[in-house]
Amino acid sequence: MNRLEDLLPTLRKPARYVGGEYNAVMKNKDAVELRVAFCFPDTYEIGMSHLGTRILYGLMNELDFVWCERAFAPWTDMETMLRTERLPLWALESGDPLSAFDVLAFTLQYELSYTNVLNMLDLGGLPIRAADRDDAAPLVIAGGPCAFNPEPMADFIDLFVIGEGEEVTAELMDLFRARRRHGWSKAETLRRAVLLEGVYAPSLYAVSYREDGAVAAVAAQPGAPARVTKRIVRDLDSVYFPVKPLVPNTEVVHDRIMLELFRGCIRGCRFCQAGFTTRPVRTRSVETLVRQGLTSLAATGYEEISLTSLSTSDYRPLEGLCDALLGECQKRRVGLSLPSLRADSFSRALMERVQSVRKSGLTFAPEAGSARLRDVINKNLTEEDLMRACGTAFEGGWNHVKLYFMCGLPTETDEDLAGIADLAHKVYALGRATAGRARGVGVTVSTACFVPKPHTPFQWEAQDSVAVFAEKQAFLRARLRKQITFRWHAADTSFLEGALARGDRRVGAAVEAAWRSGCRLDGWSECFSSEAWHKAFASCGLSLAFYAARTRAEDEVLPWAHISASVDNAHLWRERTRAYAGTASPNCREHCLGCGASRLLAGGVCDG
C-alpha cells in the first residue's frame, strides 16, 4: 500500500481509485461466502452516475453472505502504471485484485465499452476468453441494455442476465453460493443457471452461418431453453431500492439522488431500444417515491433530486409527486430536476415546480426536423407543441434551450434536415421576441447519428455510411445561422456502434483484435481510433459495413433471435411498415397495439 501511496498522486485523478466513499459497504471478507466485484467498464465518473450500479451494489450487499465491491475501467495513465509496476486492477473496497473474487459482474450500458471489459479482465489477471478460464477462476457475468444482443461478447462472458436484474441477481447469488458449498464445476453451474428465467449461457448455444454471411440458426444444447426471455420486476413498490446510495468523493457526471418513477414507456418511438426492451410499463407509487426521496436525502446530504424515467412527464401523478417533495426540498434548499420531459407535456405548472429552488437546464427532443419524419419515427410531437413549450420556458425566465435531433433516420431527405435548421431559427426568434433584447437568448442544436438497434422496428434498417453522415452534418452546419450553437456526434464512432449493436458471435474476434491493437475507452474521442477498428474487423475477415450498413430481410435470422424482450417480432415489423407509410401509431394509453409485453404481467394488463 505504501507503494501505491507514492504512485497514485502521479495520476490525473487519483480519487477514482481509492474508494472510501460515504455509504460504501465494508464487510469482513472471511465472514462472507461469496465475493462479487461489480465491474463498470468505463471511468469512475460515469459508473458512479449510473442508477443501476447503485441498485445492484446495494441489493447484493443486503445479502448477508455476499460482499459486493466495485471496480471501474482505469484511465490510460492508470493502466500504464498498473502494467509498468505489474500491479493487478483492484476493487475499491478491499483493494484485492479481481482474480480474488468469486464473481465479476459487468454491466454493458453501451457497445463502445466492450474493449474495456477485456482490458479489465486482463488487468485483473484473468484470461479474457470464457473458454480459457478454468473452474478456479471467477465466473464472469454481464447484464444491461447490450445484453439484448449478447453475441459480440459471447466468447468472453460466462453468463448473461437478460432484462431487469433485481430478482434474478438474488437467485444467482444463491446458486453461486451453492456452487461453493457443493464444489460444482463451472460447466455444471452454467447448466443449472440457465434453468433460471432470464439467464443465458452462450457456451450452451451453437451458431451456424449461411454462405452469404448471415446467421443460419442458433441451436441450444439439451437442457437449455431455445429462447431466453427477459426478466422483469412486476411490483416496483416492493422491490429493493438504494436509499443509502454511495456519495462519490470526487466530481462525477450525475451527482444527485435519482428516483425512478416507472419502467417502460408508452410512446413507441420506433428508433428507441429502451422504449421496447423495458416494456411493459410499471410505476412506483407517490408514497414510495416520497419515502425513498426523503430517506435518501437524510442519508446523503445531496442538493438535488432527479425524477427519472424514459419519459418523466408520462408519470400520471407527476405534479402531485413534485408537490409532495417540494416542501422538504425547499426547506433544505434541494433542487428538483426532471430531465426527460416531452415538449408536449411541459406546462407552466411543472415549470414553476422545477424552478422553485433552482433552475436546471432545459432540453427538448423533437428528434426530427419535419412533421413527416416525426411521423415516420412515431415521435407524435408537433411543431406547435415544441413552440408552446419553448415559449413557456422563455416566459418563465429560461434564456437557453437545447434541442436534440438525430440524422440518418430511415427515409430522411434534405428537406427533413433543413427542417432542423428551420425549427432552431424559429425557437431562437421566439426567444428573442419573448425575452426581449435585454436578455441573451441561446439555442443549442445537438444531432446524434441514428444507430439501428435490436428489438426495435428499425432493427432491419441499413445505417448511413460515415461519408453520408459527414455530408449531412456539413449540410446542417451550412444552414444554421451563427446565433445557433451546433454540436454533433462523431460519425465514425456511431458507425462502429451500429456494427457492434447488430453483430453476431464472430464479431467477438474483432473486438479482441481491436483490444490487442490498443483500442480501449472507445467512447472517448481522445482514445478512439476508427482506423484500428477497421483493421481489426478486416483481420478477422469481417467488415463494419456488413453489420452496420446492410438492410436485413424480414425472414433473416437475426443474431439475437434467441433472446426475447417480450415484444413480438410481428409487432415490430408492423411498426416498420407503418413507418414507411408515414403513419404514426397511438401511444399505449390511447390504444393498445398488442405488442406482447403485457404477457409478462399477471392478468396481462400493463399500466400503458
Side-chain angles (χ1 to χ4, degrees):
M1 186 55 75
N2 288 338
R3 191 172 163 209
L4 280 178
E5 289 176 356
D6 292 335
L7 294 170
L8 284 175
T10 67
L11 301 177
R12 185 175 164 195
K13 293 183 180 179
R16 289 168 165 166
Y17 311 110
V18 296
E21 300 94 331
Y22 193 61
N23 290 334
V25 178
M26 299 299 293
K27 293 186 179 182
N28 179 354
K29 62 185 178 185
D30 297 321
V32 296
E33 293 184 80
L34 202 65
R35 297 187 64 194
V36 179
F38 189 89
C39 300
F40 195 94
D42 209 317
T43 63
Y44 178 91
E45 295 91 321
I46 305 296
M48 287 294 288
S49 304
H50 179 234
L51 177 59
T53 296
R54 296 182 182 184
I55 291 173
L56 293 174
Y57 175 80
L59 183 150
M60 284 189 271
N61 279 316
E62 286 284 299
L63 303 171
D64 58 7
F65 64 93
V66 176
W67 186 13
C68 178
E69 306 182 38
R70 292 160 297 141
F72 298 91
W75 193 250
T76 53
D77 56 349
M78 175 64 164
E79 180 185 349
T80 299
M81 188 200 83
L82 292 174
R83 295 193 185 280
T84 302
E85 300 295 327
R86 299 182 181 279
L87 293 170
L89 183 62
W90 62 79
L92 297 190
E93 280 76 2
S94 67
D96 287 343
L98 298 188
S99 58
F101 287 78
D102 300 296
V103 179
L104 305 185
F106 284 90
T107 179
L108 303 176
Q109 293 296 307
Y110 31 85
E111 292 81 0
L112 298 183
S113 68
Y114 287 172
T115 54
N116 297 343
V117 174
L118 275 56
N119 208 36
M120 291 177 73
L121 290 172
D122 184 61
L123 288 169
L126 296 163
I128 61 168
R129 285 186 167 263
D132 295 333
R133 294 192 294 268
D134 60 20
D135 289 344
L139 278 172
V140 178
I141 68 176
C146 294
F148 281 99
N149 177 19
E151 292 308 297
M153 294 297 284
D155 288 340
F156 315 111
I157 305 295
D158 297 310
L159 287 176
F160 286 93
V161 172
I162 313 298
E164 296 166 1
E166 287 96 333
E167 293 174 357
V168 70
T169 295
E171 294 168 13
L172 279 173
M173 294 302 112
D174 282 335
L175 181 79
F176 297 153
R177 176 170 63 171
R179 179 197 186 199
R180 288 203 58 172
R181 288 180 174 179
H182 302 294
W184 294 338
S185 67
K186 176 176 166 181
E188 174 69 13
T189 306
L190 299 186
R191 284 193 292 271
R192 291 175 180 269
V194 296
L195 300 179
L196 300 175
E197 185 184 359
V199 176
Y200 170 59
S203 60
L204 302 184
Y205 294 77
V207 184
S208 56
Y209 300 92
R210 303 187 321 208
E211 287 189 3
D212 64 2
V215 171
V218 181
Q221 290 185 9
R227 201 156 188 239
V228 179
T229 301
K230 73 174 181 183
R231 286 290 288 268
I232 66 164
V233 172
R234 291 172 175 80
D235 181 3
L236 292 186
D237 279 329
S238 63
V239 74
Y240 171 82
F241 188 82
V243 292
K244 290 180 66 178
L246 288 152
V247 180
N249 49 20
T250 187
E251 186 177 357
V252 300
V253 177
H254 298 304
D255 199 6
R256 58 201 183 194
I257 292 167
M258 288 176 275
L259 294 181
E260 184 189 34
L261 309 189
F262 63 96
R263 295 182 185 176
C265 184
I266 66 170
R267 296 294 172 172
C269 297
R270 291 170 179 141
F271 57 85
C272 180
Q273 185 185 44
F276 287 93
T277 57
T278 62
R279 292 181 179 197
V281 174
R282 292 143 291 144
T283 62
R284 277 194 171 90
S285 68
V286 170
E287 293 74 21
T288 298
L289 289 164
V290 171
R291 175 173 48 79
Q292 291 174 345
L294 297 185
T295 307
S296 299
L297 277 180
T300 61
Y302 270 122
E303 296 179 341
E304 182 180 354
I305 294 178
S306 176
L307 305 183
T308 67
S309 69
L310 290 176
S311 179
T312 298
S313 46
D314 286 325
Y315 182 66
R316 285 186 171 107
L318 180 59
E319 291 187 7
L321 172 63
C322 291
D323 290 341
L325 286 169
L326 272 175
E328 198 64 27
C329 288
Q330 289 168 337
K331 194 187 308 177
R332 302 185 188 200
R333 300 295 300 165
V334 171
L336 201 60
S337 64
L338 290 77
S340 300
L341 288 176
R342 282 178 59 92
D344 55 355
S345 306
F346 185 73
S347 65
R348 182 174 295 277
L350 265 183
M351 179 186 69
E352 290 170 351
R353 287 167 172 82
V354 172
Q355 65 176 355
S356 64
V357 177
R358 67 176 65 92
K359 196 174 289 157
S360 55
L362 202 56
T363 301
F364 296 119
E367 313 286 2
S370 70
R372 185 201 70 82
L373 194 53
R374 287 194 292 275
D375 284 343
V376 168
I377 63 175
N378 204 38
K379 186 65 183 177
N380 279 316
L381 181 76
T382 67
E383 182 175 321
E384 291 72 27
D385 293 329
L386 178 66
M387 300 307 289
R388 184 171 53 250
C390 291
T392 301
F394 288 130
E395 288 169 2
W398 266 276
N399 295 331
H400 189 220
V401 170
K402 296 178 184 175
L403 302 176
Y404 180 85
F405 298 90
M406 283 186 286
C407 66
L409 288 162
T411 79
E412 183 180 73
T413 65
D414 283 353
E415 287 72 26
D416 301 313
L417 288 172
I420 293 176
D422 293 343
L423 266 184
H425 296 151
K426 288 177 183 175
V427 170
Y428 181 79
L430 176 66
R432 292 299 301 267
T434 308
R437 292 189 176 276
R439 278 168 48 193
V441 170
V443 175
T444 297
V445 167
S446 296
T447 60
C449 300
F450 168 62
V451 179
K453 290 292 178 93
H455 303 283
T456 70
F458 292 152
Q459 64 180 351
W460 295 275
E461 298 305 307
Q463 187 183 20
D464 278 349
S465 68
V466 173
V468 171
F469 277 132
E471 288 173 8
K472 292 182 175 181
Q473 290 164 348
F475 178 90
L476 264 178
R477 275 199 305 274
R479 287 265 176 170
L480 286 165
R481 297 178 194 142
K482 64 180 181 181
Q483 296 91 342
I484 309 296
T485 302
F486 181 39
R487 305 185 196 284
W488 61 93
H489 287 193
D492 47 7
T493 55
S494 299
F495 197 66
L496 172 62
E497 182 184 344
L500 295 176
R502 293 186 292 170
D504 55 41
R505 194 169 290 194
R506 295 169 301 183
V507 167
V511 173
E512 180 177 347
W515 169 71
R516 291 194 183 283
S517 73
C519 292
R520 59 264 282 141
L521 298 167
D522 297 294
W524 299 79
S525 58
E526 59 267 52
C527 300
F528 179 71
S529 170
S530 179
E531 181 183 2
W533 272 101
H534 279 277
K535 284 183 178 176
F537 268 73
S539 70
C540 301
L542 305 172
S543 78
L544 277 78
F546 176 80
Y547 295 102
R550 181 173 64 88
T551 301
R552 281 75 168 166
E554 181 183 4
D555 61 352
E556 179 171 326
V557 178
L558 300 173
W560 52 93
H562 54 300
I563 304 296
S564 171
S566 80
V567 175
D568 298 332
N569 242 24
H571 171 77
L572 297 178
W573 187 263
R574 281 196 300 272
E575 283 298 291
R576 180 186 185 273
T577 303
R578 290 171 69 86
Y580 275 89
T583 304
S585 294
N587 73 54
C588 298
R589 287 177 184 156
E590 293 171 342
H591 179 71
C592 175
L593 295 173
C595 72
S598 63
R599 288 194 297 262
L600 295 176
L601 295 174
V605 179
C606 68
D607 189 42

